[in-house]
Amino acid sequence: QVHLVESGGGLVQAGGFLRLSCAASGRTFSTYYMGWFRQAPGKEREFVARISRSGGATYYADSVKGRFTISRDNTENTVYLQMNSLKPEDTAVYYCAAGVSASYSRLAYDYWGQGTQVTVSS
């Protein structure tokens, strides 16, 4: 199975930035669509961003459009989430996920990392 490991989370002040990384195991990274999701305490896990297998197409939740950028480097088996202009409402555990189709639904993703905490203070 595919193993995903997130990194790059931490504490940042509102208006600041962070870049999350997700490293994937195996030799078939380029065959997967990749997504980022987040989950705040007591809330449902929600879609943040996704990227196509080649990296040529991206899609974002309305709440992060213009602030977050998803990218991938298939030579390094890594997907990134650049988060700019962070807001306190961005505070959540962020999860990297891999799936075989393009979707905003977490049900379409078969593999998940353990998550990395992002905390934005005001």
Side-chain angles (χ1 to χ4, degrees):
Q1 60 181 343
V2 177
H3 292 276
L4 304 172
V5 180
E6 302 96 336
S7 63
L11 175 64
V12 65
Q13 292 187 334
F17 59 90
L18 286 172
R19 188 175 77 157
L20 306 183
S21 298
C22 174
S25 66
R27 296 177 179 268
T28 59
F29 176 73
S30 63
T31 69
Y32 292 99
Y33 295 87
M34 300 296 297
W36 285 97
F37 293 76
R38 66 187 183 187
Q39 187 168 22
K43 296 184 178 180
E44 188 73 17
R45 190 172 302 186
E46 66 175 352
F47 168 80
V48 175
R50 67 167 177 83
I51 190 167
S52 62
R53 289 168 290 184
S54 67
T58 59
Y59 187 82
Y60 301 90
D62 289 341
S63 59
V64 306
K65 285 181 180 177
R67 299 189 299 120
F68 291 10
T69 302
I70 187 172
S71 62
R72 67 191 297 165
D73 185 344
N74 289 344
T75 66
E76 298 291 334
N77 286 6
T78 303
V79 62
Y80 304 95
L81 184 68
Q82 178 68 46
M83 305 184 295
N84 298 327
S85 301
L86 284 163
K87 305 174 181 179
E89 50 263 45
D90 294 319
T91 296
V93 176
Y94 283 71
Y95 297 90
C96 175
V100 298
S101 62
S103 178
Y104 62 84
S105 173
R106 67 182 187 275
L107 299 178
Y109 296 86
D110 302 304
Y111 305 100
W112 295 82
Q114 292 300 307
T116 185
Q117 177 70 49
V118 172
T119 302
V120 184
S121 64
S122 59

